[in-house]
Amino acid sequence: KAGVTQTPRYLIKTRGQQVTLSCSPISGHRSVSWYQQTPGQGLQFLFEYFSETQRNKGNFPGRFSGRQFSNSRSEMNVSTLELGDSALYLCASSESQNTQYFGPGTRLTVL
Amino acid sequence: GQQVMQIPQYQHVQEGEDFTTYCNSSTTLSNIQWYKQRPGGHPVFLIQLVKSGEVKKQKRLTFQFGEAKKNSSLHITATQTTDVGTYFCAGPGSARQLTFGSGTQLTVLP
């Protein structure tokens, strides 16, 4: 099976802009989770979607949102970007809320 | 909320030396997972432990789950340069999403 894919791999935005990141899970996986990884904070859970419904949400402001489509592909959106949003955004898919299979990530830089 | 702590944060070893990272949860875990992230890469699943006191081996890697299911360790025997990376433990929280430890960054000096 093909692995988790994420697009784009790199992104540069300026403060105040918004961004949409995309994730295609492993075929057959219905759960998609998003994480933010920064050197200082480690891996922080953003949210998890299962069958187009948000099942869990981490402790992030409302500027961070996501959705999942019927084919299990997921997108996350960050509005009104701040400098502190610069990070590696990782998507992970799983068959259940268990073993996570991570994609390569999207490296977001906010200037 | 649940907290998963890992120590040490950084570890430098000479090639051939052993390495251990420890993981402690504030709550009892139904299972614990370990992941490895190479520099510039993404986390890759290594193993899952489920039973109290469980010990699993993968070549030079030995994983243990504590009797109380609140702690775990990963031990690497005779490290090699290919072991370089950050090792994360992760356990399911009350809402069942995985909570990751802060990771141990391993550097292996040749």
Side-chain angles (χ1 to χ4, degrees):
Chain A
K1 285 183 181 178
V4 177
T5 57
Q6 290 186 246
T7 57
R9 293 292 310 278
Y10 302 91
L11 208 47
I12 299 176
K13 292 284 187 179
T14 55
R15 278 181 299 173
Q17 287 187 309
Q18 69 95 27
V19 67
T20 299
L21 312 181
S22 181
C23 170
S24 292
I26 292 172
S27 177
H29 286 191
R30 292 194 289 166
S31 170
V32 173
S33 297
W34 289 89
Y35 297 85
Q36 182 194 65
Q37 187 173 36
T38 57
Q41 297 296 317
L43 270 165
Q44 300 289 312
F45 172 76
L46 281 155
F47 27 66
E48 185 224 355
Y49 286 87
F50 183 86
S51 293
E52 302 180 65
T53 301
Q54 187 182 84
R55 192 156 64 173
N56 283 303
K57 189 177 189 305
N59 192 24
F60 277 81
R63 300 185 296 108
F64 292 81
S65 63
R67 59 178 176 169
Q68 187 180 33
F69 301 95
S70 58
N71 61 358
S72 293
R73 189 177 69 84
S74 178
E75 289 181 346
M76 69 162 280
N77 184 277
V78 188
S79 62
T80 320
L81 284 166
E82 301 176 359
L83 294 178
D85 296 334
S86 293
L88 179 66
Y89 289 89
L90 291 159
C91 162
S93 76
S94 66
E95 291 179 286
S96 62
Q97 282 176 311
N98 218 0
T99 305
Q100 304 278 286
Y101 295 90
F102 286 87
T106 294
R107 173 75 61 185
L108 173 65
T109 302
V110 182
L111 303 175
Chain B
Q2 179 200 41
Q3 290 187 341
V4 178
M5 292 149 287
Q6 250 182 288
I7 56 169
Q9 188 175 358
Y10 303 97
Q11 184 79 61
H12 291 70
V13 299
Q14 288 291 142
E15 190 172 16
E17 291 183 337
D18 291 357
F19 158 78
T20 305
T21 174
Y22 301 90
C23 180
N24 287 285
S25 170
S26 58
T27 60
T28 302
L29 300 169
S30 58
N31 68 79
I32 193 154
Q33 299 172 31
W34 285 90
Y35 293 78
K36 176 184 178 182
Q37 184 173 22
R38 295 181 186 273
H42 57 275
V44 174
F45 173 76
L46 292 177
I47 206 162
Q48 176 178 284
L49 305 172
V50 178
K51 298 177 184 176
S52 167
E54 188 171 12
V55 178
K56 285 189 177 181
K57 292 190 175 185
Q58 286 181 351
K59 297 183 181 178
R60 296 178 293 104
L61 278 61
T62 302
F63 303 83
Q64 287 190 301
F65 200 10
E67 294 290 340
K69 300 183 77 173
K70 294 182 72 174
N71 57 69
S72 181
S73 65
L74 157 59
H75 179 84
I76 302 178
T77 304
T79 54
Q80 300 175 358
T81 54
T82 53
D83 296 324
V84 164
T86 301
Y87 293 85
F88 294 96
C89 62
S94 56
R96 299 196 297 163
Q97 84 274 6
L98 278 183
T99 299
F100 281 79
S102 52
T104 295
Q105 187 175 318
L106 172 64
T107 300
V108 179
L109 305 170

